[in-house]
Amino acid sequence: MSNNELDLFKEMMADVAPIKQDTILIQQKYQISESQLARRLAAQTLANGNIDYLSLDNANMVKPDDMIEFKRDGVQLAVFKKMRQGKYDIHARLDLHKKTLYQARDEVLAFLKQSQRLDIRTVMIVHGKGERSNPPALMKSFVTTWLEQISDVLCFHSALRQHGGTGALYVMIKKSAEKKQQTRDRHLNHRDA
């Protein structure tokens, strides 16, 4: 910029005053509900093992014959479809018939932890339809709500008729952190060999 241009610019800006800094108050437009907070806190892994985040107070209620399906982002559609069609071997099964909600919650968490520790990735949970429970499908509703809250559960779907139909779920869980590390180490050792 030449001196003439600079002088011209200064002359044009002579009566311009700097803008004072505005103070902006940001107000939260919404409050996080207790259930949202619980869900956020509940994105826990099985390794954390704190059972208290699995609610015994409320569940997304479903009907006895409702087909249930859930898939986390990142799970391939082909994997979900194969699970939904019952094409993965089931190496562990948990039956929750005649259990209280308290017992069921404990057993679901313990079962999934043990399955993950044993590197069993696809399991079945039999919750029953709950046609005679009051309210109907009580256990089914709580089990599906709990499974959604456990971040190590990748996906689940109502079973095929021969495996219990809408009274049971196929459940796929993540590999444990320990098994993932073993796989990484094996790949690195294989690649280096």
Side-chain angles (χ1 to χ4, degrees), residues 3-193:
N3 281 341
N4 287 344
E5 290 173 334
L6 185 57
D7 291 338
L8 181 61
F9 178 75
K10 286 180 180 178
E11 186 180 319
M12 292 177 80
M13 296 294 144
D15 61 343
V16 175
I19 298 175
K20 290 182 182 176
Q21 177 62 41
D22 289 342
T23 303
I24 300 173
L25 295 175
I26 300 175
Q27 294 179 341
Q28 192 171 359
K29 293 180 182 178
Y30 59 91
Q31 293 292 325
I32 296 173
S33 72
E34 284 185 37
S35 64
Q36 288 170 320
L37 183 60
R39 268 187 245 120
R40 193 176 292 166
L41 293 172
Q44 295 189 28
T45 64
L46 290 168
N48 294 350
N50 181 4
I51 199 164
D52 295 332
Y53 72 90
L54 298 178
S55 174
L56 288 169
D57 297 327
N58 71 26
N60 300 324
M61 296 307 290
V62 296
K63 295 183 179 108
D65 289 322
D66 282 355
M67 183 73 66
I68 303 298
E69 62 177 25
F70 173 82
K71 179 181 86 59
R72 290 204 191 281
D73 291 342
V75 175
Q76 296 175 356
L77 286 175
V79 169
F80 184 62
K81 181 179 179 184
K82 188 174 176 180
M83 186 200 63
R84 184 180 74 219
Q85 294 172 338
K87 292 186 177 177
Y88 286 109
D89 290 336
I90 303 296
H91 295 286
R93 183 176 182 271
L94 175 66
D95 190 340
L96 297 174
H97 282 99
K98 297 185 172 56
K99 304 285 183 197
T100 67
L101 284 179
Y102 285 98
Q103 292 168 331
R105 181 178 72 168
D106 291 348
E107 289 193 23
V108 165
L109 198 57
F111 172 70
L112 293 175
K113 277 177 158 177
Q114 181 181 17
S115 297
Q116 189 179 54
R117 196 169 41 251
L118 296 173
D119 202 27
I120 298 172
R121 304 278 314 282
T122 308
V123 299
M124 180 180 293
I125 297 178
V126 180
H127 46 67
K129 290 183 179 184
E131 292 169 317
R132 292 184 294 270
S133 71
N134 187 17
L138 184 68
M139 182 68 71
K140 179 177 181 174
S141 299
F142 273 91
V143 169
T144 58
T145 299
W146 295 334
L147 292 175
E148 287 180 23
Q149 292 175 342
I150 300 170
S151 64
D152 281 348
V153 172
L154 296 172
C155 55
F156 54 87
H157 197 283
S158 293
L160 296 175
R161 181 175 290 142
Q162 65 266 30
H163 295 143
T166 58
L169 292 168
Y170 300 130
V171 181
M172 183 175 286
I173 55 179
K174 288 181 183 178
K175 274 186 185 180
S176 68
E178 181 182 306
K179 293 294 181 186
K180 283 182 188 175
Q181 187 60 47
Q182 288 174 359
T183 302
R184 275 189 223 112
D185 292 347
R186 199 170 38 249
H187 286 311
L188 289 174
N189 291 338
H190 184 71
R191 192 176 65 187
D192 293 341

